[in-house]
């Protein structure tokens, strides 16, 4: 039996959060065209203070660290509401990659790591980044990494080349995935190591331009080099060789939250499409919505968003009930399905808006540029489809090797 009811407390929380998103963040979007994240960050930090004062800050963070301590499914619903603005998650301190880093520090961090890294992250005083993908190796095969962390007494010496380290610009520390045990079985070779970005061995090479936007601060992606980067062994998160296990912990719930954030974006694009279809006249008294082709956009989008939300809700329920391992088919399915629903709904909404849709007068173009990557990060579509199909085929007696 699946549970779709939302408790009165959560309903109230969602409406308070939505009110903040509409009052504080939607007007801000009107003023940011052509400005970098760093330029608008002071305004966002002020909004964060008001979010804190309203008792809504860090919804996913356990209450012992000052958050709301929301459960997995409740936070998924919050994530949808916050997705209605590109800055929703940042304003509430549940943005990637910090949210994932807070989660693994909470689950695997030592007392010292929690004091030094988790507590200031949860208070929103510092930011962090996650450094796994390498330009020279296929990110789709995360067991094949070049970055090495070699033990030297009570230190690790890290050497490696990373890119797509999101939000490295201005981050206080990186969680680095590095091979510590090259001769161990594939999934026990790498460890996660905390590297303060003021370490002399941390080199910020460049901000990577994405579809014409270089970005800055939290809204950016960096190329980074680790050159003879020495950190104490006590900076390792969890056991040596446990990097993949911890990555799985980080990615499972993270995918549900990403998918719900995409549904928030899709809902906003959908609302905008419907509003425009109802009001933009092709000729006097004939709005766009009188045309069946536009009605088709609306009907298809509604059905696809609802289907995606049901799949996500079911996957979240299954993780809650049976754990991440049992829910891996459902998680693979939502990752590619929801990402593609998002792309299609955004595309239809832009199309309905005509020329306006590609301007920066609405958030649609920015969403289009920055959310194309949804089909690539956290596992490209093809990887999730192949994994899902292989597991299904196994039930039919065909074992296809993951080459
Ligand atoms: C906006 C953005 C933010 C990111 N943030 C971070 C971050 O913070 N930290 C971090 O470490 N990484 C991050 N990444 C990197 C991301 O995780 C990788 O891009 C992703 O894992 C894919 O790896 P790759 O780019 O090396 O593509 P490759 O692995 O080289 O794959 C290229 C393409 O090949 C196809 N393909 C791959 N495998 C298969 C297969 N088995 N069958 C068929 N086709 C296949 C897919 O179409 C894939 O897109 C980010 C990426 C983006 C775009």
């Amino acid at each position: 039996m699946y549970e779709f009811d939302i408790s009165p407390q959560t309903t109230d929380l969602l409406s308070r959060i939505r009110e903040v998103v509409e009052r504080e963040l939607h007007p801000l979007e009107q003023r940011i065209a052509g400005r970098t994240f760093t330029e608008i960050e002071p305004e966002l930090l002020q909004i964060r203070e008001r979010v804190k004062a309203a008792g809504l800050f860090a919804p996913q963070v356990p209450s012992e660290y000052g958050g709301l301590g929301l459960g997995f499914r409740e936070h998924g619903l919050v994530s949808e509401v916050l997705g209605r603005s590109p800055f929703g998650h940042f304003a509430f301190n549940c943005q990637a990659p910090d949210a994932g880093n807070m989660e693994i520090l909470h689950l695997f961090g030592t007392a010292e790591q929690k004091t030094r890294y988790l507590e200031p992250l949860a208070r929103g005083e510092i930011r962090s980044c996650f450094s796994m993908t390498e330009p020279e190796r296929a990110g789709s095969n995360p067991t094949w990494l070049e970055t090495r962390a070699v033990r030297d007494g009570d230190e690790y010496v890290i050497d490696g080349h990373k890119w797509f380290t999101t939000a490295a610009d201005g981050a206080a520390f990186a969680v680095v995935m590095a091979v510590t045990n090259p001769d161990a079985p594939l999934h026990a070779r790498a460890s996660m190591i905390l590297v303060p970005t003021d370490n002399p061995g941390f080199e910020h090479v460049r901000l990577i331009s994405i579809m014409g936007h270089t970005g800055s601060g939290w809204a950016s992606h960096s190329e980074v080099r680790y050159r003879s980067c020495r950190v104490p062994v006590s900076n390792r998160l969890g056991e040596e060789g446990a990097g993949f296990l911890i990555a799985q912990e980080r990615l499972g719930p993270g995918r549900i939250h990403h998918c719900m954030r995409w549904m928030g974006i899709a809902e906003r694009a959908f609302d905008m499409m419907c509003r425009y279809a109802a009001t933009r006249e092709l000729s006097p008294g004939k709005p766009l919505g009188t045309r069946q082709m536009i009605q088709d956009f609306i009907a298809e989008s509604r059905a696809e968003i609802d289907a995606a939300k049901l799949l996500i809700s079911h996957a979240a329920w299954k993780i809650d009930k049976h754990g991440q391992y049992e829910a891996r088919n459902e998680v693979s399915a939502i990752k590619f399905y929801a990402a593609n629903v998002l792309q299609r709904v955004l595309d239809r909404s832009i199309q309905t808006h005509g020329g306006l849709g590609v301007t920066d007068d609405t958030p649609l173009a920015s969403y289009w540029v920055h959310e194309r990557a949804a089909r690539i990060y956290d596992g490209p579509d093809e990887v999730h489809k192949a994994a899902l199909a292989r597991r299904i085929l196994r039930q039919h007696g065909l074992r296809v090797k993951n080459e």
Side-chain angles (χ1 to χ4, degrees), residues 10 26 61 70 101 110 121 166 173 208-210 219 228 262 266 279 284 288 294 307 325 329 361 383 390:
T10 306
H26 287 180
V61 168
L70 291 191
N101 289 342
T110 60
L121 262 187
T166 296
F173 71 95
I208 305 163
S209 177
I210 307 283
S228 302
W262 300 336
T279 54
L288 279 176
I294 301 296
Y325 185 79
N329 279 1
D361 292 356
V383 171
R390 273 198 312 270

Side-chain angles (χ1 to χ4, degrees), residues 64 174 230 254 373 384:
E64 58 186 299
R230 284 182 175 269
H384 285 288

Side-chain angles (χ1 to χ4, degrees), residues 29-287:
E29 291 164 19
Q30 311 296 322
R31 304 197 298 276
I32 59 166
R35 293 165 70 197
T36 65
F37 178 81
T38 312
E39 286 167 339
I40 59 166
E41 192 173 14
E43 277 188 75
L44 279 170
L45 294 179
Q46 286 173 9
I47 294 174
R48 270 189 168 189
E49 290 307 314
R50 293 195 283 278
V51 169
K52 270 187 195 168
L56 298 171
F57 198 63
Q60 81 295 2
V61 168
S63 45
E64 58 186 299
Y65 292 100
L68 302 192
L70 291 191
F72 176 52
R73 295 171 73 195
E74 287 166 307
H75 183 56
L77 296 168
V78 167
S79 199
E80 179 189 342
V81 177
L82 295 179
R84 298 182 68 91
S85 164
F87 305 110
H89 287 73
F90 184 86
F92 284 68
N93 198 25
C94 52
Q95 69 285 354
D98 299 297
N101 289 342
M102 286 188 241
E103 195 172 325
I104 53 178
L105 278 163
H106 181 241
L107 288 175
F108 300 98
T110 60
E112 189 199 334
Q113 290 168 350
K114 285 178 178 163
T115 306
R116 178 152 178 211
Y117 299 104
L118 174 57
E119 289 179 12
L121 262 187
R123 290 193 296 264
E125 293 164 0
I126 59 169
R127 287 194 292 99
S128 63
C129 55
F130 185 72
S131 213
M132 178 153 109
T133 308
E134 304 179 348
E136 291 84 10
R137 289 282 177 261
S140 304
N141 176 8
T143 60
W144 196 27
L145 294 173
E146 278 301 301
T147 300
R148 295 281 183 273
V150 177
R151 264 310 260 264
D152 182 17
D154 57 2
E155 290 183 322
Y156 281 117
V157 184
I158 307 173
D159 281 284
H161 187 195
K162 302 284 186 180
W163 78 336
F164 278 103
T165 301
T166 296
D169 182 29
F173 71 95
V175 179
V176 183
M177 186 81 137
V179 174
T180 44
N181 309 58
D183 302 322
L186 267 188
H187 290 91
R189 286 182 189 171
S191 301
M192 282 195 196
I193 301 174
L194 305 168
V195 176
T197 53
D198 61 2
N199 186 304
F202 178 94
E203 184 194 340
H204 185 271
V205 178
R206 63 168 176 142
L207 294 169
I208 305 163
S209 177
I210 307 283
M211 296 194 181
H213 297 257
T214 307
S216 70
W218 169 69
S220 69
H221 310 281
S222 291
E223 180 179 339
V224 174
R225 276 193 190 274
Y226 298 87
R227 292 187 196 271
S228 302
C229 180
R230 284 182 175 269
V231 292
V233 168
S234 59
N235 277 28
R236 193 187 63 230
L237 201 54
E239 298 296 315
E240 197 167 77
F244 288 103
L245 190 140
I246 300 175
Q248 286 315 310
E249 283 294 330
R250 192 179 186 281
L251 284 173
R255 285 189 181 121
I256 299 277
H257 298 150
H258 265 313
C259 287
M260 287 304 279
R261 183 175 67 80
W262 300 336
M263 291 304 104
I265 300 171
E267 289 283 16
R268 179 140 185 230
F270 178 78
D271 285 351
M272 291 176 66
M273 171 167 66
C274 296
R275 206 173 310 128
Y276 203 72
T279 54
R280 173 71 162 178
E281 291 183 339
L282 287 170
S283 58
K286 293 273 180 221

Side-chain angles (χ1 to χ4, degrees), residues 210-211 213 215 219 221 261 365-374 377:
I210 307 283
M211 296 194 181
H213 297 257
H221 310 281
R261 183 175 67 80
S366 164
Y367 276 137
W368 181 252
V369 166
H370 296 293
E371 302 301 338
R372 173 61 181 83
Y377 59 71

